[in-house]
Amino acid sequence: TVVAATYSQRSKLLAIGFSSGVFGLYEMPAVANIHTLSIGASQRIQSCILNETGEWLALGCPSSQQLLVWEWRSETYVLKQRGHAYGMRCMAYSPDGVVVCTGGEDGKIKLWNASSGFCYVTMEQSHQAPVTSVCFAKPSVVLSASLDGTVRAHDLHRYRTFKTLTTPTPVQFLSLAVDPSGEIVTAGSMDPFHVY
């Protein structure tokens, strides 16, 4: 079963993560399989994202609570770290590819240095429920959506939440997107099925 997918427009690569712990990397538009790798039968992939250049693939595995960053050309792990309690649910690369932001089942946001592999910030009071989506609005602003019904904007200079968005009636958010200018934010909810 497919559980995660990501596409790099610049490199024309599609990465697909499966519930079996296998992920595939495909060159588009021919859908030519470049690489298939298993990270372990007990490792369910929850989320994946390619960096801007398409060289690194980040994978979130909730059962092992790990963030894995894989450089597919050399077939080596750049990063293999444990982080969130109860597992990692979503992730995003910063526009410059230096930072990986992760959101977890624990409601926390973590920032990782993609080169060194170390978590340098944990935003403890991010959400009251699992974080379902994260994305960068600008290099210094990350947005997060949660099952607690909020979308929050976090300042990466001061490491604090500076804006919380909610809906008139309570919903659980599953997805999040922002326009290139960082001004328009959309979030999709689970029940009812709406886009805000």
Side-chain angles (χ1 to χ4, degrees):
T1 306
V2 174
V3 293
T6 183
Y7 178 69
S8 170
Q9 179 70 34
R10 182 173 163 187
S11 61
K12 306 282 191 249
L13 293 175
L14 173 68
I16 301 175
F18 298 91
S19 59
S20 61
V22 171
F23 70 89
L25 194 59
Y26 303 90
E27 189 173 37
M28 301 305 282
V31 195
N33 187 325
I34 296 173
H35 200 81
T36 302
L37 181 72
S38 173
I39 58 172
S42 63
Q43 300 276 14
R44 181 177 183 267
I45 297 170
Q46 175 73 34
S47 57
C48 66
I49 187 118
L50 285 159
N51 70 342
E52 184 69 25
T53 61
E55 296 169 343
W56 291 1
L57 174 64
L59 304 166
C61 305
S63 59
S64 63
Q65 302 171 0
Q66 284 189 319
L67 168 64
L68 306 170
V69 178
W70 188 66
E71 201 284 316
W72 65 271
R73 291 185 198 276
S74 65
E75 299 182 8
T76 58
Y77 285 111
V78 175
L79 168 65
K80 193 173 186 179
Q81 292 287 335
R82 293 183 76 127
H84 293 274
Y86 316 116
M88 191 176 309
R89 191 151 188 174
C90 54
M91 66 184 71
Y93 271 103
S94 63
D96 59 8
V98 172
V99 177
V100 177
C101 176
T102 60
E105 294 286 337
D106 55 8
K108 296 177 184 172
I109 304 291
K110 290 183 177 272
L111 300 175
W112 307 76
N113 181 300
S115 298
S116 70
F118 292 105
C119 175
Y120 63 92
V121 171
T122 299
M123 296 182 177
E124 298 284 342
Q125 303 299 321
S126 299
H127 289 279
Q128 302 301 313
V131 177
T132 54
S133 185
V134 291
C135 66
F136 281 84
K138 298 177 180 178
S140 62
V141 176
V142 70
L143 301 171
S144 59
S146 172
L147 294 179
D148 68 6
T150 64
V151 172
R152 298 178 189 239
H154 310 278
D155 180 342
L156 300 187
H157 291 298
R158 294 185 181 97
Y159 303 119
R160 65 177 183 87
T161 302
F162 68 88
K163 186 125 184 134
T164 301
L165 305 170
T166 60
T167 59
T169 56
V171 297
Q172 293 184 310
F173 288 117
L174 291 179
S175 58
L176 182 64
V178 64
D179 77 317
S181 71
E183 299 297 319
I184 300 172
V185 178
T186 59
S189 65
M190 184 164 48
D191 190 20
F193 302 109
H194 288 124
V195 175
Y196 296 92

